[in-house]
Amino acid sequence: MSVAQSFMEVLAGIIHETWYLFEEAAPYLFLGFGIAGLLELVVSNEKIIGHLGKGAGKFSSVLKASIAGIPLPLCSCGVIPAAMSLKKRGANNGATLSFLISTPQTGADSIAITYALLDPIMTVFRPVATFITAVGAGITSNIMEKDRTNTLSNPIMLSKKEDATNQGCDCCGDDCGQASLKERAIDAIKYAYVELLGDIAKWLIVGLLIAGVISYIVPEEVVGGYLGGGIGSMILMLFVGIPLYICATASTPLAAALIAKGMSPGTAFVFLLAGPATNAATITMVTKFLGKKAVTIYLAMIALFALVFGMLLDLIYIRLGIEATTIAGSASDLLPAEVKTFFALLLAIMITYSLIQRRENDECQDCS
């Protein structure tokens, strides 16, 4: 067999594995984006800011920030302007840190894809661990440091879409509220399936491709030998995950591929917890606006809780007598193959459209 033929065979294998993962995830991703759009419709920016901004208690605001961040589908860079907006409006450091942690680690879309590619245990464990990590970091911050004076000059909203409840209306009577609701619903759909999808599409594609490479090329004995479990493999994944920019949705196919190759679920979970929550940009922004002590607490709490929950998760699987490789992706078996293919093709078209729209918007901004 020639080199060219060998290369084409490997390439075909990688594409096959990537498409398989995409088909398995597509129906649940579609559902997750729909939930994200619903949240955008019913939960206004001002409601979130009102609960977390000036006047909120040091402990109650941390709890609220941790809860509010879990379903919001913002990545570790996209959450920065939202968190800084909360700080601008008077949120204490603890609430800001909690929001910075809980928001990128999970989201409606990432919870859905976790169920599709991993298993119900990981699907429940992921948001619970995220909540506890965010609360722990926020409370620790409020106890250990004085709140830092805010230096932000311009308010930044939680999404690019203006809050429809603040928009004027030229019509009169009941039709006004109905028209407003219709417009908000359309905006929410555009936000979910165009704006949000465009924000994470590139990273989702990269994550799926890397997962395809791992699935086809990386030998099981390599992953099982070096990342099969234990504190050493978890610390290694922690050092890989903290500086890496990867969103919660894109990190899930990678974790699924590694678990299928023999990585322990706890080690994979360390990556799922630390990777989306941190990157170089987030660390820089936290240092600038919240201070060095805040960024130390931020990183230390993420690292500590990631390791603790990683070991706890491995223990849960061992005590339950469950082999992670045997149940990973089993939830997607409930759907017929035709349904998965339909949603995969539909989502592929929508991803293409969202990327084109995003490129056109970026070009318009450059010209203006």
Side-chain angles (χ1 to χ4, degrees):
M1 184 181 293
S2 67
V3 175
Q5 287 177 322
S6 298
F7 174 77
M8 292 304 297
E9 182 180 330
V10 170
L11 183 61
I14 292 171
I15 292 173
H16 177 268
E17 292 293 332
T18 301
W19 179 253
Y20 170 77
L21 288 169
F22 184 59
E23 278 192 318
E24 296 297 297
Y28 297 92
L29 274 174
F30 195 88
L31 174 63
F33 284 119
I35 295 172
L38 182 62
L39 288 170
E40 181 76 358
L41 175 64
V42 301
V43 183
S44 69
N45 297 331
E46 293 305 321
K47 283 183 181 178
I48 295 176
I49 291 167
H51 282 289
L52 303 182
K54 191 173 182 180
K58 285 195 171 184
F59 294 99
S60 63
S61 63
V62 166
L63 292 174
K64 291 176 181 178
S66 302
I67 294 171
I70 286 175
L72 294 179
L74 293 174
C75 63
S76 55
C77 279
V79 73
I80 293 173
M84 295 306 107
S85 178
L86 295 178
K87 183 62 180 171
K88 168 68 179 179
R89 289 164 173 81
N92 55 59
N93 277 8
T96 307
L97 280 185
S98 295
F99 192 80
L100 273 169
I101 291 172
S102 69
T103 306
Q105 284 184 346
T106 61
D109 51 337
S110 62
I111 292 172
I113 196 175
T114 302
Y115 182 73
L117 296 182
L118 294 170
D119 58 64
I121 296 174
M122 193 79 82
T123 304
V124 174
F125 195 82
R126 191 173 186 179
V128 170
T130 293
F131 172 74
I132 295 172
T133 304
V135 170
I139 291 177
T140 302
S141 175
N142 282 343
I143 290 174
M144 293 185 62
E145 62 173 347
K146 293 181 179 180
D147 209 34
R148 183 180 173 91
T149 302
N150 182 36
T151 58
L152 295 178
S153 57
N154 297 316
I156 311 167
M157 297 308 291
L158 290 172
S159 74
K160 298 175 185 177
K161 179 181 71 65
E162 291 184 10
D163 191 353
T165 58
N166 293 331
Q167 294 177 351
C169 186
D170 296 330
C171 58
C172 301
D174 295 337
D175 291 339
C176 179
Q178 293 175 359
S180 176
L181 179 60
K182 180 180 178 182
E183 291 172 0
R184 288 169 55 204
I186 292 172
D187 284 343
I189 292 171
K190 289 180 179 178
Y191 167 75
Y193 293 108
V194 179
E195 181 182 319
L196 176 61
L197 187 57
D199 285 342
I200 73 166
K202 180 175 67 174
W203 300 108
L204 177 61
I205 292 169
V206 171
L208 286 167
L209 283 171
I210 296 174
V213 171
I214 292 171
S215 297
Y216 187 76
I217 294 179
V218 178
E220 292 183 9
E221 55 269 20
V222 172
V223 178
Y226 291 96
L227 300 171
I231 190 67
S233 62
M234 293 180 190
I235 291 174
L236 176 61
M237 291 308 296
L238 193 64
F239 278 103
V240 170
I242 284 180
L244 186 68
Y245 175 81
I246 187 165
C247 68
T249 302
S251 67
T252 309
L254 294 180
L258 288 167
I259 288 175
K261 289 293 184 177
M263 176 184 280
S264 77
T267 303
F269 189 77
V270 170
F271 175 71
L272 289 175
L273 202 67
T278 60
N279 62 58
T282 310
I283 293 169
T284 301
M285 294 296 289
V286 173
T287 304
K288 181 178 179 180
F289 293 113
L290 301 183
K292 294 180 179 179
K293 184 177 287 187
V295 81
T296 301
I297 294 171
Y298 169 70
L299 293 174
M301 290 295 103
I302 290 173
L304 174 63
F305 280 105
L307 294 175
V308 168
F309 282 119
M311 291 185 286
L312 177 61
L313 187 62
D314 275 348
L315 183 62
I316 289 173
Y317 279 87
I318 291 171
R319 289 294 177 90
L320 293 176
I322 296 174
E323 186 68 36
T325 55
T326 62
I327 64 170
S330 58
S332 62
D333 293 338
L334 299 174
L335 297 176
E338 295 80 5
V339 173
K340 298 179 195 176
T341 302
F342 170 77
F343 278 104
L345 292 172
L346 178 61
L347 202 58
I349 293 170
M350 296 173 73
I351 286 174
T352 303
Y353 176 77
S354 66
L355 288 174
I356 292 172
Q357 289 294 110
R358 184 176 178 84
R359 182 177 179 181
E360 289 177 353
N361 291 337
D362 290 343
E363 289 176 352
C364 288
Q365 289 176 0
D366 291 339
C367 293
S368 60

